[in-house]
């Protein structure tokens, strides 16, 4: 997704902007650009299709600048569509979508304006230039009043060197301060390498950087009192010495689980005791990988807590006019805490009077500031677009939440509660199967499709394994309930078709095995993942992967690890970069 940066420094800040833009690369993008404003009131722009590294070269002059990584929405990736966009004295970068841009563009065309790009963003800079009567701030406010949709902006005006105006409406924006420079940025992880103190903006807030200060204000220019916090050490940008971020992040799973577990404390849940004890109906919403975690939470919480739990893709929840209301709990799960659909679902729940509990990796995220209560997982920064360690940590936090809910209701913890402390070492044991996963990836690398089967909680693991291989190895995969195989998809099985089955639930092991046998009988090459010794020994599977033994209800946290690694190996063997899958973005800040 698009990322924006702004920087004001005493010296030339081109390199600072370039390096902060590199920190935003993980979000996914297709072009990048920088506009610099010098003290002699000259604006210079460099923008290019492709990588941030294309902007390297002799720094453009200036102590004030803005930068952008673009993920195409309106108009294909090209130099012309790349940001910053310029009109008269103004340069602008934008993250978000202006929903009424066609009407606004039509109006501007009628007034004789000419457009150099196909983007919705160019409309904004033209509106600002037209509204300008010598007051930079007033022009930005006036233009924003015309916009519908979501946006975070950073704007320069050549009359005001040393000043950047930022505004946030629906898309994330954070201010950052360091001794040698002041910043605006789309996200905390990218800013952490540069800034020492940060402060996120809320919707409707403007940020003015000028005269060596950062000031938050409303549209009338009234100052808003905000508190800056020190950059959390775990958010600082990480770098990968060798291999890929995805491999590094899979390797970090044991530490991430251990850090997350240590950070969870029963007493922290006291502020939400009322709702944990008395919620009438629990809703869980999320997108993508986080949705699989939310669904596993639904399975676990409903069976342990004996209270109805409904899980929805956040994008669906928003538009189904849900019955949610007072005395209901909405659990919103999001690694980034910035996913537009998840945020909107949480806002809707709040509007209807429900209690919103967030599970996120970013304590300063929009979701965390919107929620009534937040569980911050300690996965550490996740750079690869495909989520890995954050999924394991989301599951841990959600299991912990389910356990607290049970305790508040019946003063009893689930019997798996005492085994959380073993998860980290068990995750390390799982790594022993990585050579086997590499060998399987070599065998299956030319597969045109795959099935991932499971029953009970294993359905979630199967779905997540399939998502991983689709998004980074570009192999079509279906992950679903094994019992459904003979209701249609069995028709797709042909000689050599890979079928993976995850079977960690002893009561359902024989049923999963039956599905695998049915697939094998039709020529499938089958792989079984289980911690259950008898399930493994009795299985007809062509390949068997033994998982460490831990309480079977906790197995989803571990059983997904070989599937994450398998997808990564498939991707590399097929010649792709797992950190930057095509068309995808790390932080999906538009609907
Ligand atoms: C898949 C993946 C995505 C995200 C989804 C939600 O590997 O990373 O499916 O899980 O975009 O993102 P967050 O968790 O940031 O809300």
């Amino acid at each position: 997704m698009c990322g924006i940066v702004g920087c004001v420094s005493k010296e030339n800040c081109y390199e600072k902007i370039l390096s902060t833009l590199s920190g935003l690369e993980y979000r996914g993008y297709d072009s990048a650009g920088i506009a610099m404003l010098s003290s002699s009131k000259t604006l210079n722009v460099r923008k290019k299709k492709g990588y941030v590294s294309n902007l390297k070269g002799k720094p453009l002059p200036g102590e004030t600048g803005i930068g952008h990584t673009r993920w195409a929405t309106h108009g294909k990736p090209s130099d012309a569509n790349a940001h910053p966009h310029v009109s008269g004295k103004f340069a602008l970068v934008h993250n978000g979508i202006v929903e009424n841009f066609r009407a606004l563009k039509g109006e501007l065309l009628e007034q004789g304006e000419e457009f150099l790009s196909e983007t919705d963003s160019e409309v904004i800079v033209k509106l600002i230039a037209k509204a300008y009567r010598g007051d930079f701030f007033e022009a930005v406010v006036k233009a924003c009043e015309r916009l519908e949709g979501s946006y975070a902006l950073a704007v320069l005006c050549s009359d005001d060197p040393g000043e950047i105006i930022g505004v946030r409406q629906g898309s994330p924006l954070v201010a950052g301060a360091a001794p040698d420079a002041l910043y605006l940025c789309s996200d905390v992880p990218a800013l952490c390498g540069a800034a020492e103190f940060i402060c996120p903006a809320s919707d409707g807030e403007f940020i003015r950087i000028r005269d060596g200060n950062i000031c938050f204000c409303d549209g009338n220019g009234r100052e808003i009192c905000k508190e800056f916090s020190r950059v959390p050490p775990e958010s600082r940008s990480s770098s990968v010495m060798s291999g890929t971020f995805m491999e590094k992040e899979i390797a970090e799973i044991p530490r991430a689980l251990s850090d997350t577990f240590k950070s969870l404390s029963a007493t922290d849940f006291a502020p939400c005791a009322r709702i944990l004890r008395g919620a009438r109906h629990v809703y869980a919403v999320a997108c993508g990988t986080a949705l699989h975690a939310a669904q596993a939470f639904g399975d676990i919480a409903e069976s342990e807590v004996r209270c109805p739990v409904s899980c929805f893709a956040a994008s669906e929840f928003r538009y189904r006019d849900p019955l949610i209301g007072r005395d209901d709990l909405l659990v919103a799960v999001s690694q980034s805490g910035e996913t537009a659909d998840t945020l909107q679902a949480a806002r809707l729940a709040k509007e209807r009077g429900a209690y919103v509990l967030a599970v996120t990796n970013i304590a300063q995220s929009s979701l965390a500031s919107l929620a009534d209560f937040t569980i911050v997982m300690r996965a550490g920064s996740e750079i690869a677009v495909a989520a890995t360690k954050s999924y394991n940590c989301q599951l841990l936090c959600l299991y912990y939440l389910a356990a607290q809910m049970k305790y508040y209701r019946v003063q009893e913890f689930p019997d798996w509660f005492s085994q959380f402390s073993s998860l980290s070492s068990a995750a390390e044991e799982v790594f022993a199967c990585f050579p086997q996963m590499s060998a399987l990836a070599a065998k299956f690398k030319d597969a045109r499709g795959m099935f991932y089967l499971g029953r009970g909680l294993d359905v979630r693991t199967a779905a997540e394994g399939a998502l991983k291989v689709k998004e980074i190895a570009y192999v079509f995969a279906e992950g679903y309930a094994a019992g459904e195989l003979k209701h249609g998809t069995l028709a797709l099985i042909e000689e050599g078709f890979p079928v993976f089955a995850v079977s960690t639930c002893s009561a359902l092991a024989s049923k999963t095995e039956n599905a695998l046998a049915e697939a094998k009988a039709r020529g499938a090459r089958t792989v079984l993942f289980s911690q259950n010794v008898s399930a493994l020994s009795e299985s007809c599977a062509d390949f068997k992967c033994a998982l460490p033994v831990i309480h079977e209800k906790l197995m989803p946290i571990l059983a997904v690890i070989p599937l994450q690694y398998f997808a990564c190996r498939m991707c590399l063997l097929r010649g792709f970069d797992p950190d930057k899958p095509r068309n995808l973005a790390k932080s999906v800040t538009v609907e």
Side-chain angles (χ1 to χ4, degrees), residues 25 40 43 68 75 118 147 215 222 249 275 286 293 300 343 358 403 471 534:
E25 285 188 288
S40 60
L43 264 177
H68 191 263
E118 303 156 275
L147 305 178
C215 167
R222 269 190 301 259
E249 286 159 12
I275 197 79
I300 280 287
L343 282 169
E471 65 178 329
S534 57

Side-chain angles (χ1 to χ4, degrees), residues 287-290 333-339 342 385-387 394 464 467-468 471 585-588:
C287 301
T289 289
V333 189
S334 172
Q335 186 282 130
S336 62
E338 302 296 349
T339 299
T342 309
V385 168
Q394 275 163 358
E464 179 55 11
L467 178 62
K468 287 283 96 75
E471 65 178 329
K586 181 68 179 165
S587 193
V588 185

Side-chain angles (χ1 to χ4, degrees), residues 232 362 403 408 428 474-475 555 586:
I362 310 290
Y408 274 107
E428 253 166 46
Y474 315 141
V475 175
M555 283 307 291
K586 181 68 179 165

Side-chain angles (χ1 to χ4, degrees), residues 43-359:
L43 264 177
N44 283 294
V45 176
R46 186 177 287 162
K47 53 185 193 167
K48 290 256 178 291
K49 179 180 163 185
Y51 292 117
V52 168
S53 54
N54 294 342
L55 304 175
K56 284 189 179 150
K58 190 163 180 276
L60 297 174
E63 300 73 34
T64 312
I66 53 177
H68 191 263
T69 49
R70 174 171 187 257
W71 187 80
T73 56
H74 296 79
K76 60 184 183 309
S78 68
D79 291 358
N81 287 335
H83 299 214
H85 294 288
V86 175
S87 182
K89 297 179 169 182
F90 297 88
L92 163 141
V93 289
H94 167 220
N95 170 22
I97 290 184
V98 180
E99 283 167 6
N100 59 337
F101 101 97
R102 282 195 180 79
L104 294 171
K105 188 167 179 173
E107 205 180 282
L108 289 161
L109 285 168
E110 267 177 28
Q111 292 166 13
E113 290 292 329
E114 285 176 15
F115 285 80
L116 300 174
S117 78
E118 303 156 275
T119 64
D120 52 341
S121 315
E122 195 179 358
V123 165
I124 314 174
V125 73
K126 291 218 178 279
L127 287 175
I128 296 172
K130 282 191 92 68
Y132 187 56
R133 303 282 177 275
D135 185 329
F136 180 16
F137 182 69
E138 187 188 79
V140 175
V141 173
K142 281 220 158 72
C144 290
E145 282 167 2
R146 307 281 329 269
L147 305 178
E148 287 165 21
S150 61
Y151 51 88
L153 308 176
V155 194
L156 299 179
C157 172
S158 59
D159 281 345
D160 295 293
E163 174 157 7
I164 301 178
I165 295 181
V167 53
R168 175 200 161 125
Q169 185 60 54
S171 298
L173 189 66
V174 186
D180 58 343
L182 301 174
Y183 292 91
L184 292 179
C185 190
S186 288
D187 73 25
V188 175
L191 199 51
C192 287
E196 283 181 19
F197 295 90
I198 48 168
C199 180
S202 300
D203 280 348
E205 287 179 354
F206 290 79
I207 304 176
R208 299 184 77 171
I209 303 186
R210 59 177 180 164
D211 304 329
N213 278 314
I214 300 176
C215 167
F216 284 74
C217 59
D218 65 14
N220 295 313
R222 269 190 301 259
E223 197 169 328
I224 301 169
C225 192
K226 304 277 282 193
E227 265 187 36
F228 278 70
S229 54
R230 191 170 271 284
V231 169
E234 73 270 26
S235 306
R236 286 183 188 278
S237 310
S238 45
S239 63
V240 64
M241 301 304 286
S242 63
T244 62
F245 276 110
M246 188 171 178
E247 288 166 293
K248 172 177 174 281
E249 286 159 12
I250 292 172
E252 285 169 355
I253 291 170
R255 190 193 48 73
L257 284 171
S258 146
D259 289 353
T260 299
F261 175 61
K262 282 188 207 141
S263 74
L264 292 167
S265 151
T267 51
D268 290 348
F269 287 79
C272 51
R274 179 193 67 80
I275 197 79
L276 296 187
R277 189 179 298 119
R280 242 180 2 177
H281 196 126
V282 179
Y283 294 83
V285 294
C287 301
T289 289
L291 177 59
H292 298 147
Q295 288 167 328
F297 166 72
D299 300 336
I300 280 287
E302 196 161 86
S303 77
E304 293 289 351
V305 183
R306 310 310 297 163
C307 131
V309 186
S310 308
C311 300
F312 295 100
S315 53
E316 288 298 310
F317 180 81
R318 293 174 61 177
Y319 295 108
R320 68 190 313 275
D321 194 12
L323 269 176
I324 193 163
R326 250 190 80 74
D327 300 326
D328 291 335
L329 166 67
L330 180 107
V331 178
V333 189
S334 172
Q335 186 282 130
S336 62
E338 302 296 349
T339 299
D341 285 318
T342 309
L343 282 169
Q344 278 308 115
R347 282 190 192 109
L348 175 74
K350 278 201 93 166
E351 277 161 28
R352 304 232 170 144
Y355 190 96
V356 173
L357 187 153
V359 176

